[in-house]
Amino acid sequence: MADRETLYGKTPEELAALCGGLGMPRFAARQIARWLYVRHTEDPLLMTDIAAAHRQRLAERFAPAFSAPERVTESADGTKKYLFRIAGGHFIESAYIPDGERATLCVSSQAGCRMGCKFCATGRQGLQRSLTAAEILNQIVSLPERDRLTNVVFMGMGEPLDNTDEVLRALEILTAEWGFGWSPTRITLSTAGVVPELRRLLDATKVHLAVSLHNPVSEERAEIMPVERAWPIAEVAAILREYDFTHQRRVSFEYIVMSGLNDSPRHIRELTRLLNGIKCRINLIRFHKITDSPYFSPDNAAMVRFRDALTARGIQTTIRTSRGEDIQAACGLLSTRLRSGL
């Protein structure tokens, strides 16, 4: 079954070409898309407005894509971490974060990650493989709380712009009229700054953007984020100045605060210089301890001082509340290294 392709994850254009190749009317593509993405039904035999012979043909050719989570771990704060098995014997994790009337799902785009950020458990795992659009979307459609979701953030395992084709496909399905029909404002994608793919994302979608910044000084950022050597954060900022973030689409910068490493007055000055001309927000995140890490988070008072200093310089800055730290579901903690036998 794993060697067969899935219907789920295909666009109407791809489904139309598929229908033509199977001797089916091309208009059946829209019917199939409705079953897949509106009714969340992937079994062709249940697609009752398609001819029985065609249903049988589809069922024989295509494998199911949906896969329920293998395990759920619940935090004291209500956050849930879901473990999914994917083809190849690998695993990924997603985090469900309820917050009053909001319910956010943090999805993964890769099993592991090759960006190598030193403060991130996923980065230590290395990259096993990128996910297909169907595997990305499965984290949503197979979630028990699927119908409660208000937002999805691509902030789980992996660098989304290291898997741009499949991520864009998933985003198209999420936001298209023939797909989930979600507003792009319900979706945020986080990137460490893969410059060659950044314009492509910004031109192709209207989803919110979150840039993993963590240090505005190039030499220092390169020490904790190897991506800086290939694509400096200054290049990322220059690209963002070309786009309009004054209306519905927003850009934010994620900043994990590590005591004595990136929280000095000098860093405040450099952040102000780097982000000049970009309408944005900085989200300050407490560093969540990982094994054998030399970094640690400032205390609450220091976090507040850092926030207030940035705010005083005209940069909207918030301190993000940590969720799910007790189950290793907070920012930077997702990892399936042990389960993948690494």
Side-chain angles (χ1 to χ4, degrees):
M1 297 286 282
D3 294 329
R4 291 158 57 197
E5 38 175 346
T6 64
L7 278 175
Y8 209 86
K10 294 187 183 299
T11 65
E13 292 76 17
E14 292 169 328
L15 291 171
L18 179 156
C19 288
L22 292 178
M24 299 170 58
R26 291 177 68 88
F27 67 76
R30 285 277 171 172
Q31 295 170 292
I32 296 172
R34 182 168 180 79
W35 282 103
L36 294 174
Y37 307 127
V38 178
R39 298 174 177 172
H40 301 299
T41 299
E42 65 165 346
D43 184 351
L45 297 179
L46 299 178
M47 299 178 183
T48 52
D49 55 357
I50 295 173
H54 295 154
R55 277 183 268 158
Q56 186 62 43
R57 198 170 303 161
L58 291 170
E60 291 170 357
R61 173 168 171 179
F62 294 97
F66 294 170
S67 171
E70 291 205 350
R71 179 180 174 182
V72 58
T73 310
E74 187 165 0
S75 166
D77 64 25
T79 299
K80 294 181 181 180
K81 183 171 69 172
Y82 286 97
L83 179 76
F84 291 89
R85 182 191 296 268
I86 60 172
H90 305 301
F91 295 86
I92 57 170
E93 292 179 329
S94 309
Y96 171 74
I97 309 165
D99 184 16
E101 295 182 356
R102 291 172 59 89
T104 300
L105 181 66
C106 180
V107 300
S108 295
S109 55
Q110 296 180 308
C113 182
R114 65 173 175 175
M115 294 296 109
C117 298
K118 291 185 178 179
F119 48 81
C120 178
T122 311
R124 288 188 174 190
Q125 179 175 330
L127 178 65
Q128 282 70 70
R129 72 171 177 85
S130 293
L131 304 188
T132 65
E135 289 169 331
I136 293 170
L137 294 170
N138 178 67
Q139 296 167 73
I140 300 171
V141 295
S142 295
L143 193 77
E145 297 87 356
R146 179 186 72 199
D147 295 333
R148 302 180 200 168
L149 291 179
T150 59
N151 301 84
V152 165
V153 295
F154 283 68
M155 295 182 179
M157 300 174 67
E159 163 56 64
L161 297 188
D162 192 34
N163 185 23
T164 312
D165 288 348
E166 295 301 314
V167 166
L168 287 180
R169 183 189 298 267
L171 290 174
E172 181 181 5
I173 293 168
L174 279 170
T175 58
E177 166 272 328
W178 49 261
F180 286 33
W182 281 23
S183 165
T185 60
R186 296 174 63 180
I187 304 167
T188 300
L189 182 142
S190 176
T191 177
V194 182
V195 167
E197 302 298 318
L198 182 57
R199 288 186 191 276
R200 187 177 168 200
L201 172 80
L202 292 171
D203 291 338
T205 78
K206 295 297 182 184
V207 301
H208 298 315
L209 180 69
V211 177
S212 296
L213 174 52
H214 313 308
N215 200 311
V217 181
S218 182
E219 298 79 8
E220 296 177 12
R221 187 172 188 258
E223 286 297 313
I224 59 173
M225 299 180 69
V227 68
E228 174 71 15
R229 300 188 182 99
W231 302 299
I233 191 63
E235 290 186 26
V236 175
I239 291 173
L240 295 180
R241 288 189 188 93
E242 300 174 16
Y243 289 82
D244 183 6
F245 294 101
T246 61
H247 297 291
Q248 284 192 314
R249 171 184 265 180
R250 301 190 305 267
V251 60
S252 61
F253 289 85
E254 310 298 296
Y255 200 92
I256 294 176
V257 187
M258 292 166 271
S259 185
L261 188 72
N262 63 354
D263 60 347
S264 72
R266 177 172 60 90
H267 293 101
I268 292 170
R269 291 193 299 271
E270 289 300 311
L271 280 167
T272 305
R273 181 191 59 79
L274 176 68
L275 303 182
N276 184 43
I278 304 173
K279 182 176 174 56
C280 64
R281 172 200 299 265
I282 294 179
N283 291 318
L284 300 181
I285 305 167
R286 294 174 178 82
F287 173 69
H288 301 116
K289 191 70 175 175
I290 56 179
T291 305
D292 300 325
S293 169
Y295 314 125
F296 58 95
S297 177
D299 61 24
N300 287 339
M303 290 285 289
V304 169
R305 285 195 300 272
F306 195 63
R307 178 200 65 191
D308 291 349
L310 287 166
T311 300
R313 287 180 172 255
I315 303 175
Q316 186 180 9
T317 307
T318 59
I319 299 173
R320 183 186 293 170
T321 302
S322 293
R323 298 289 302 271
E325 187 173 4
D326 57 331
I327 58 168
Q328 302 294 294
C331 182
L333 297 183
L334 295 182
S335 176
T336 55
R337 181 175 180 178
L338 296 179
R339 289 185 173 273
S340 298
L342 302 174

